[in-house]
Amino acid sequence: ELVEITPELHIKRSKTGLELHIDPQPPTTRRGDAWTPIWMVEENPARWLLVRMNDEQTRLYQLLNRGQGISLPSAAENPLQEVLGSLAKVITIHSDTDLSANPDADLIEHQGDPHPCLALTPLNSGLSAELRVRPMGPGQNAYPPGHGGAQFVTLDPEGQPCRAIRDLETERQQADALVSACTTLHPWEVQPYYWHIEETEDCLEVLEQLAQLSDQVTLEWPEGESLRLRGPTLSGLALSLRLRQNNEWFEASGQVQVDENLVLDLQKLLGLVAQHDSRFLPLGDGQFITLTTAFRKRLEDMNNLADSAARKPRYHALSAPLLEEIIGEVGELKVPKRWLEYRDRLRSAESQPAELPKTFTAELRPYQLEGYQWLMRLAAWGVGACLADDMGLGKTIQVLAVLVARATQGPSLVIAPTSVAHNWRAEMQRFAPTLNPVLLGNQERSAQIEALKPFDVLITSYGLMVQEIEALNAREDWNCLVLDEAQAIKNPTTLRARAACQLSADFRVITTGTPIENNLGELWSLFRFLNPWLLGSLQAFNHRFAKPIELEQSPAVRDRLRRLMRPFILRRLKSAVLDELPPRTEIRLEVTPSKEEIAFYQALRRHALEQLDHAETIREERARFQILAAITRLRRAACNPRLIDPKLRIPSSKQALFLEVLNELREGGHRALVFSQFVDHLSLIRQALDEQQISYQYLDGATPMNARSQRVQAFQAGEGEVFLISLKAGGTGLNLTAADYVIHLDPWWNPAVEDQASDRAHRMGQQRPVTVYRLVVNNSIEERILELHAQKRDLADSLLEGGESSARLDAEALMNLLREASLDEDRA
């Protein structure tokens, strides 16, 4: 800002009389004998002053020793006061002494205005703000509060000489009171009564608070420049909303009254909220409206719940209770009769918790009863439910209670991994005798499906579901549709995921201990099956949630997604609901590799980097696949060099440590579950156990179902000191509480998969403390993977309040992992 001013005459009392000088001083040359009647002065970083002397002021300047000032004796005070009126026509006069001693001066007395004025000036992307007072009123000269002469003589707006009296103490008090009240100014203070606010968002925060302090301050903008806040800060009470039914959707319309001259349409308001991540929404020409934080969150949630493919905001009928919760209190709400019916149905279910059927013979723990009632409420609502309890908390038994309670409404369908299908039938026969479990057979499957009736529960695998999707889809009267271990449909492009979404049922349930295993796209896939209207298309979901959360680490977006999903996910942790469960201790055992292992590992790593660094530019997905293949070779080498080349005779330090630990456990009377993701690694361990004549049970993905059950029962009965299990094959459907130690031979990308495996021993029925060992080679790729575990858990913890997950790594991140996975040869 460039402001033109005229110089002023300052009079100060001294010991010998009076001191007179001009301020501000014009610049001089080195010789000190040249000057100009026009010059520039930097007042602060936001404003320069253009000082201009007229001819009369120039003559006065020369009389005052070229502005250096003169001294007058005390006897000159009265004559000086007699000419103050005449001098005031030439220049404004400031004094720290009383200018009214001589009544002949004939000056009009003016009581100075102490009210603070805040001068706001655009500066880069923000504002400068300077607090001043204008004793003579708006448009007149401005001065720092409490500084300068207590009196001054000047011309009033009518051109008459007047004497203004300033109350410096009151000026300071009012200015300080304003600064104390306007807390949003405090971080931007550069010097007393001057602030530099760097960003527009911060400027608007300051302006919002200043608007609430309008009786304490006057805002001053340069001509043509302003950031204007239209109307008061808007809350939900400013919204008038109307919902109109259109088949299975409710279309929303409405408006917000900003001020008496401005009304905003709801669709435009939602569009502004989607485009700007702020409470301050721009209207153009420097004008903004302000929303309360709570109202903005409501509008964000309305955007996220709306059908992303529709031109106007519309909401699925089943989202009525959720939308009503989001909307909260509004100024006016008009809804159709169908909306009220949905709301009343849910309220009825909430007010009358479902009773357990008398024919259901299991005794549910309190949290299991709560889970059953939650499932029944969502069934009454008509929406899908994700039961995501921690492993070992009895998700199956909670769902069984629902199947019994709803059995009269038609046949149900349970789709589960092959490994647990027989467990479903056994649990039904034990606790739900009124249900008729039907395993989908190898022959006449269509006839089996057609013959189903109420109280029948068809149990099938994901593989058979895909094969028989036409016959399953032909029935439109499925009562309950249950996907057990629903992470099986986490990839939305697979046949099983697409087939599951084709099936229709009155109530859909998924059970999984790990709703997110690798990335947020898996969560979207689960909800496409459960409530496809909730998260919209995959493209919209990635834009609204996945990218901001996984790539930008946005806590606000993560919180919005969590609040959106919260009504449809129930997750409890063992640590929160099972007081009687014994403690679980996790210990990392560091493996120090031999010099031969280090040399072999480093040669593999260098060779991989050379190949990848010199490879031609390839597509991201292909590059990611090649890097993962190289990393997998390093992981296998860290386990045992023979997994890379069976002819090698380099001893495995990891295998040696494992056998040492295992023998210590055997001496203490302990039994262990041993997991590896590499089946051929388990084969090498089996050879070592055979050589030492250690008894064991064995299980991998190729083990037949009957043999699988027999080996589990045998181990539980005491046969075998060790149970060797491939990680994926042992992640679900096993109860192995006869072991009190778990050993992970190699870390998997996702800690959730490891935890599922560890929970085979640490679950209901376990009487002893469980210890989990992880064998990790120092400074290797295994350490790098473990470093990722914390951030992988954090994402799902915040979304699921206790889940585990991992974010997807792109090719560049994987390459960095490979580069950093170097063994320290000097430490060998």
Side-chain angles (χ1 to χ4, degrees), residues 727-802:
L727 190 62
K728 286 299 184 72
T732 58
L734 299 179
N735 187 341
L736 294 168
T737 53
D740 58 340
Y741 275 79
V742 177
I743 302 175
H744 290 285
L745 294 175
D746 40 82
W748 177 235
W749 289 105
N750 197 315
V753 177
E754 289 184 10
D755 287 345
Q756 278 188 305
S758 300
D759 284 339
R760 300 310 100 207
H762 192 240
R763 58 193 298 122
M764 285 189 293
Q766 178 60 265
Q767 302 298 318
R768 295 170 293 173
V770 173
T771 302
V772 179
Y773 285 143
R774 287 184 171 86
L775 275 60
V776 181
V777 175
N778 285 344
N779 303 310
S780 71
I781 188 68
E782 294 185 335
E783 277 200 344
R784 305 287 85 78
I785 291 173
L786 286 182
E787 288 170 1
L788 292 173
H789 279 194
Q791 67 188 64
K792 292 174 181 179
R793 293 179 190 273
D794 176 68
L795 175 61
D797 280 347
S798 58
L799 287 175
L800 308 173
E801 300 177 339

Side-chain angles (χ1 to χ4, degrees), residues 333-351:
L333 177 62
K334 295 181 179 180
V335 297
K337 183 178 179 181
R338 183 79 176 276
W339 172 280
L340 300 175
E341 290 174 355
Y342 277 114
R343 183 193 65 186
D344 293 343
R345 187 169 69 180
L346 179 62
R347 288 180 177 176
S348 176
E350 290 177 338
S351 62

